[in-house]
Amino acid sequence: MDRDHIRNFCIIAHIDHGKSTLADRIIEMTGLLTSREMQAQVLDNMDLERERGITIKAQTVRTVYKARNGEEYIFNLIDTPGHVDFNYEVSRSLAACDGAILVVDAAQGIEAQTLANVYLALDHDLDVFPVINKIDLPSADPDTVAHEIEDVIGIEAMDAPRISAKNGINIEEVLEAIVNKVPAPDGDEKAPLQALIFDSLYDSYKGVIVFVRIKNGTVKRGTPIKMMATGATAEVVEVGYFGAGQFIPCDELSAGMVGYITASIKNVRDTAVGDTVTNAENPCKEPLPGYKKVQSMVYCGVYPADGAKYPDLRDALEKLQLNDASLFYEPETSVALGFGFRCGFLGLLHLEIIQERLEREYNLDLVTTAPGVVYRVHKTNGEMIELTNPTNLPDPSEIDYMEEPVVNAEIMVTKEFVGSIMELCQQRRGRYVSMEYIEENRALIRYVLPLNEIIYDFFDALKSRSRGYASFDYDLKGYERSELVKLDILINREEVDALSFIVFKDSAYERGRKMCEKLKEEIPRHLFEIPIQAAIGGKVIARETVKAMRKDVLAKCYGGDITRKKKLLEKQKEGKKRMRQIGNVEVPQKAFMSVLKLDNE
Amino acid sequence: MNDAGMIYVHIPFCVKKCDYCDFVSGVCEKNVQEAYFKALKEEIVKRSESAPDKRVGSVFFGGGTPSIVDAGRIKDILDLIRVRFEIEDDAEMTIEANPNSVTSDKLKVYREAGINRISIGLQSSKDDELKTLGRVHTFKEFLKTYDLVRTAGFSNVNIDIMSAVPGQTLDSYHETLKTVATLNPEHISAYSLIVEEGTPFFERYKDGAGLPDEDTERKMYHDTESILKEYGYERYEISNYARPGYECKHNMGYWTGRRYMGFGVAAASYDGSGRRTNTEDLNEYIGGNWERETIELSETDKIEEFMFLGLRMTRGISKSGFKEAFGKDIYDVYNVQIQKLKDHGLIVESGERIFLSKLGTDVANTVMAEFMF
């Protein structure tokens, strides 16, 4: 089919505004799948994604639409991840498209993520057209939302299709809009191959499957290819396009098309998202713009609860990484927790997803340490180290100064909550940038925030202070100099490496005190008194005491009680087995993680 | 009492359930009681048929409040037990009674039926504390009951008292202790209140507010031993005190691994290899579905029980007893644990026996949990 009849597009929306449901309807209406074959939300095919209602990996599907003008069009719908952690993946997916459907909830209107994604799409020169969804809701107000879209984003919205993806209302209007408003791709089949990698996944039969948008040239079986950034080379084994949930081989992919390439590549790290695939023997002059090496934003220690499961954890991480090049890990040893890994993630959601997958899909019990960001430590000898594990902080006498990552944050919130949201940002060391009212009742607040202030529970705090209405988006701004210290925790006068963390100097006392209080709750009483101390460089700044156990005895135990009392003792013993020994103190695994949630209490 | 077995009969009826009580018991209509006793008799008859060893060294009627039902019913049950089992001449025959629920006529029937020990639930000599506990009697009413019991000729009497009651002070508890000891019962059970889930007390006191604090509670516990000692009582188990020779044989049986058959709703039995529990559902029990489950005990189960039950007793466990029961040396099984607990001063090894130290008694669960596999 010629390029004029191809439409490469994506759907962008705030979380829960109905992106995946609309995608389902499009796939359904274009007839590639019967209704019976449809699982609810075809695109989100990881269980976890379906449960959380978010898209983690970009999914792509090719369908055929017979338009009202009687001609058939190929639709390549490229689904984009819906979370700020995966911003880079989003940008690469967008770069593979020529247009974007902006889905806006008819009741909720524009949200922070909507804006962020629209701007990202406009940055990529995509033609964006809006769709107003959920018109069936009683609180739907499509007119107001249309005005809002025009006022805030500045794109035509009065003729936007008003639909209910859930109930299949007016979906055909969307399909016609795709034909008429998304431009056909351009490019030159005869030019040297130039293809953008927007995703890849590992398949145990085919090896790595590379998702590409062909910008120029042609690729087919036998083409020698080269990844321009990683330098990896291979010979193409198969090319094809994306059926819903399956790979359909074809003869060749040429300029303007979206499809996949397999080439017996063993490792997704060789096919980095954003890299350019070219013909190894007839390379293009320049790679496509925008490639970035994926960098971990958040690090934490991941340990098996049962030390004997270390090899299982390693295998699981290895397998997960096959499909997730953005997951980083390296072996690490902790005095308190034994053998484990320091893992790097794109953000806290990414961390949570990996943790859940390890526990759920690989059946592992994990202990994770407090997540931290990457600090830059400038030493007096001129050397700079990137610190991912607080324990590795050099001696203070060797440190000249330190820097921490900061983000540009955009928060959208209704008028009544502006005060409390600003207060929250101030508490988190935010630097006010600007505030504007995007409509009478809603403000867009911009702050520069240190990343380490938002990785724990910022999102929860935001939600609870705005009764769930605030939406939030951020991107990395860079590094800024900051007064940071390492806070150590001592249990019964022994320093516990797994509990150390880096903190802003002025917040150290507060956090130290909260840590001690929390640990006091978590550590069971022993036969002796246990001091819990927070210290900076050997100087104790906060202290709590777990009092010695005075009483642990059952007054009664007669014939009828024996079974029940025995269970109680067994449970007590079992609980002890699951504890970590710090000196002569038994610390529950839970204690290492509960200290992550210190705020809001 | 050689190696004869024991019998426990559960009478799940009360005038009113106390606010701290988590036993299977409650207030019931006469006709339910009638049906219950019918089922009880059927269970006794049926299960006695398959009992390999019919010798019985003690019988215990517990509840609930066994003394609120017609004494004739108790006598009926005892008569049946005598027919179906072989009661030893020196058997201990106990019934639990609450103040106000016994009359001299009832006591006379008990005597005739062969009951020779009465356990009276008093809990406190302070009326305000009795009220807090949700008891249905005053101290004065208890005194009357106690007098009736003595007058009826019972020469082995236990009085239950309770410490760590909400609102109780060290002084008021001391007074209860001394008042009770002055009455000169043969046996005193002094329990520290346990706030059990599922009781009205749990809702009221689960966070500990209103209860004597831990230091006071421990002082009450330690003072119990020292004060009662002045009156000639020895502590022989975590919560039990007796004049020499009056230790409760029945309860000692539980702690030394003796066989017992429990009849009635929620009653437990142990035949030397399996522990059986009856249903806790009164209707189900009356309907003839007595048994809920039987759990066969493994060798390790038995070893664990030998330790944690034996250590409840002041005299502790016997090393030769261990070897006799399990055919191996206790050090082959528990060397590490014994050393560790000795080092921490939680247990004492003295000649043939190992027992809890004073500190070990305060944290008995911690000690016992060490012996669980």
Side-chain angles (χ1 to χ4, degrees), chain A residues 305-324:
Chain A
D306 172 2
K309 291 278 170 72
Y310 173 80
D312 300 24
L313 176 59
R314 191 189 51 219
D315 289 352
L317 284 168
E318 215 166 81
K319 285 194 184 116
L320 283 180
Q321 203 187 42
L322 280 178
N323 253 327
D324 184 352

Side-chain angles (χ1 to χ4, degrees), chain A residues 525 527 549-560 562-564 566 569-570 572-573 576, chain B residues 22 191 214-215 217 239-240 251 254-255 260 275 301 305 312 346 362-366 369-370 372:
Chain A
R525 292 163 73 186
L527 294 170
M549 179 164 62
R550 297 272 289 117
K551 182 199 174 195
D552 178 28
V553 55
L554 292 165
K556 269 187 190 184
C557 184
Y558 298 122
I562 294 171
T563 309
R564 190 160 64 107
K566 189 157 121 189
L569 294 172
E570 275 164 359
Q572 195 163 344
K573 172 84 177 198
K576 269 190 151 183
Chain B
D22 78 325
Y191 302 108
E214 204 172 55
D215 286 343
E217 190 279 336
S239 308
N240 284 284
N251 288 339
Y254 289 135
W255 303 316
Y260 54 93
R275 178 160 288 108
D301 285 330
E305 290 188 5
R312 293 194 66 86
L346 296 169
D362 288 334
V363 294
N365 291 349
T366 311
E370 285 291 324
M372 309 303 285

Side-chain angles (χ1 to χ4, degrees), chain A residues 12-13 94 100-104 110 112-124 126 128 149 153-155:
Chain A
I12 55 184
L94 292 175
I101 307 173
L102 167 67
V103 180
V104 182
I110 293 172
Q113 229 174 54
T114 321
L115 267 191
N117 286 334
V118 169
Y119 292 144
L120 210 53
L122 295 173
D123 279 352
H124 287 89
L126 300 194
V128 179
I149 295 170
I153 304 174
I155 54 174

Side-chain angles (χ1 to χ4, degrees), chain A residues 314-346:
Chain A
R314 191 189 51 219
D315 289 352
L317 284 168
E318 215 166 81
K319 285 194 184 116
L320 283 180
Q321 203 187 42
L322 280 178
N323 253 327
D324 184 352
S326 54
L327 167 65
F328 166 87
Y329 67 92
E330 65 183 9
E332 171 180 278
T333 313
S334 151
V335 180
L337 299 174
F339 293 107
F341 296 90
R342 176 110 322 223
C343 297
F345 307 92
L346 295 174

Side-chain angles (χ1 to χ4, degrees), chain B residues 274-293:
Chain B
R275 178 160 288 108
R276 164 190 162 124
T277 317
N278 277 1
T279 175
E280 295 191 357
D281 184 321
L282 190 60
N283 290 323
E284 202 171 282
Y285 181 81
I286 288 171
N289 289 323
W290 308 314
E291 185 178 347
R292 189 183 68 196
E293 60 174 4

